[in-house]
């Protein structure tokens, strides 16, 4: 927990209840004392520096000096075939830490519909994972998460042509793509990456993607696990967007 | 297991013992029958197509048609601070699947020496992990793995200036680096990436790396877990090396 991440409605409470996991972290891991400062941030909002006024098992109170600027989400979105829950957890953590603005799972033709029944998708776990990853990454940028019943439904919601502007749309395809991912992303102002499920794309899905303006791209000959492909493609996309150039220039 | 990976001394045995995990995979997962073919490869050697002649619980026999060419290791090496064993396992699996030629762990000043006592490092597990990752990635390229007592020792063994040619040496440093990783790797023919331990580099290690010709580089402002940074940096490096361009051109 590099950043104490707050929900918007917690930002102006002047502190945290003593039993809150973040309060416990400040007390027992950071071992902070009154007068120390800790880095805080509001999910999808500003970061700030909290001056600790009082620390007890009942309550942590602070005064926060907020940064002037609110970071903008990176123009990078992921569309990925719904994988087994354990793989989905890795994708949520790693893609949130990299800074994907949106993560969209869809039921793929070669996927297993049973994955959607996992407890992962029916409680607060996904939000906790995304917040945990953002806090570790020291960012307030928490990805928007959505699930869709099919690739078609996902594309209707995620990639309506009329609103796309100069978004580059690519789908990873080790078997049929002729061009390397890094060569397809030059000069993009926004990137939407589609990655298939563990068993790969169906012929119908490939045609659907091409029809929706997605170009096939590969990352060489090695067959990567879905979560590894998400991180590798995300890094290539963030570099292509020039996103990393901003570091230290603020 | 996309590829049945064989040790060199198994390549010409004409098959596998029936109880071997790979034989079980061929029988029970692939459900292959005599007359079917399966993809095989020799660790650090050629791939081939095995025509199954006989399948029983006692023995699998085949005749292998070997490919003419042996793939060359990618000119990409990793130097990483020894992390907790569970993180090391992820690094081994993911970096092997991406195609790092060498993975070197070193005891970092801010690392925990106790990590080196893990059973991970005192048995066959690391080799099994590397072979598993290569088989899943459908490659015979298995990284060379080594551990070093310190960064100094690692550099003496890994990066002797006299033999480096035009290798680009970079170390990831989110706090002090001024340039983005992708901007530092243009026109490199070989890349050596150094990544610190979870708690980061010490001032001494930073000076040692700079003295050894390593340039600092960052991947933006987000604090990434070590295993995520390894995959992200590996992808940027493989793209910079043009390694992915070879796909489909053989």
């Amino acid at each position: 927990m590099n950043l104490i991440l707050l929900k918007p409605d917690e930002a102006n409470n002047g502190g945290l209840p003593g039993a809150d996991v973040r309060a416990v972290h400040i007390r027992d891991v950071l071992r902070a004392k009154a007068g120390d400062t800790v880095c805080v941030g509001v999910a999808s909002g500003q970061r700030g520096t909290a001056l600790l006024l009082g620390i007890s098992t009942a309550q942590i109170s602070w005064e926060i000096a907020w940064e002037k600027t609110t970071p903008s989400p990176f123009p990078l979105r992921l569309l990925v075939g719904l994988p087994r829950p354990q793989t989905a957890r890795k994708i949520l953590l790693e893609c949130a830490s990299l800074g994907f603005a949106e993560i969209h799972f869809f039921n793929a033709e070669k996927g297993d519909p049973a994955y959607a029944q996992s407890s992962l998708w029916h409680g607060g776990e996904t939000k906790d994972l995304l917040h945990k990853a953002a806090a570790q990454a020291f960012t307030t940028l928490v990805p928007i998460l959505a699930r869709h019943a099919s690739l078609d439904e996902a594309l209707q919601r995620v990639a309506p042509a009329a609103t796309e502007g100069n978004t580059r749309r690519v789908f990873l395809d080790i078997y049929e793509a002729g061009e390397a991912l890094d060569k397809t992303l030059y000069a993009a102002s926004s990137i939407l990456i589609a990655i298939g499920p563990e068993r790969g794309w169906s012929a119908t899905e490939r045609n659907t993607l091409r029809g929706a303006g997605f170009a096939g791209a590969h990352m060489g000959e090695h067959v990567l696990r879905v979560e590894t492909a998400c991180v590798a493609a995300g890094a290539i996309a963030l570099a292509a967007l020039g996103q990393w150039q901003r570091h230290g220039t603020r």
Side-chain angles (χ1 to χ4, degrees), chain A:
Chain A
M1 204 183 299
N2 292 311
L3 182 73
I4 304 298
L5 198 61
L6 306 171
K7 301 189 184 70
D9 62 10
E10 298 175 314
N12 301 313
N13 292 359
L16 288 169
D20 184 283
V21 60
R22 295 159 295 181
V24 173
H25 180 80
I26 292 170
R27 269 201 319 267
D28 301 347
V29 179
L30 301 182
R31 293 207 175 75
K33 306 262 171 280
D36 293 343
T37 58
V38 295
C39 296
V40 299
V42 177
S44 305
Q46 290 154 278
R47 286 191 305 203
T49 302
L51 171 63
L52 298 172
L53 304 176
I55 298 183
S56 74
T57 53
Q59 171 77 14
I60 283 186
S61 59
W62 58 37
E63 187 175 306
I64 300 175
W66 295 104
E67 292 180 358
K68 296 278 170 294
T69 60
T70 300
S72 306
F74 301 165
L76 176 61
R77 296 177 295 162
L78 176 67
L79 191 60
V80 58
L82 188 70
R84 66 198 65 202
Q86 202 43 48
T87 299
R89 290 183 176 94
K90 295 174 184 169
I91 292 171
L92 290 170
L93 284 171
E94 296 192 305
C95 291
S97 70
L98 278 173
F100 279 83
E102 301 178 15
I103 303 172
H104 297 268
F105 291 96
F106 65 91
N107 296 330
E109 291 191 6
K110 293 186 181 180
D112 183 340
Y115 295 154
Q117 306 312 316
S118 165
S119 61
L120 169 63
W121 304 113
H122 302 94
E125 184 179 356
T126 55
K127 188 172 187 179
D128 291 343
L129 287 170
L130 294 173
H131 278 236
K132 174 186 172 190
Q136 287 181 338
F138 202 71
T139 180
T140 61
L141 298 174
V142 178
I144 292 168
L145 171 64
R147 287 189 302 129
H148 309 278
S150 68
L151 177 60
D152 284 317
E153 181 187 303
L155 290 175
Q156 288 168 24
R157 307 248 301 272
V158 176
T163 67
E164 279 298 84
N166 52 358
T167 291
R168 197 69 47 85
R169 304 176 189 184
V170 295
F171 68 104
L172 294 184
D173 188 351
I174 192 172
Y175 300 109
E176 297 189 12
E179 197 165 29
L181 179 63
D182 56 301
K183 300 304 178 190
T184 69
L185 298 181
Y186 55 88
S189 63
S190 169
I191 294 172
L192 174 56
I193 300 173
I195 298 179
E198 283 105 331
R199 298 199 195 96
W201 298 109
S202 72
T204 305
E205 288 168 338
R206 283 189 172 93
N207 290 332
T208 299
L209 287 162
R210 295 188 185 110
F214 283 73
H218 65 75
M219 295 191 292
E221 296 185 314
H222 287 199
V223 178
L224 301 178
R225 293 185 300 174
V226 174
E227 63 269 34
T228 306
C230 287
V231 173
I236 295 295
L238 289 171
L241 289 166
Q243 200 62 51
W244 293 341
Q245 299 308 305
R246 304 180 182 183
H247 182 40
T249 63
R250 293 181 184 173

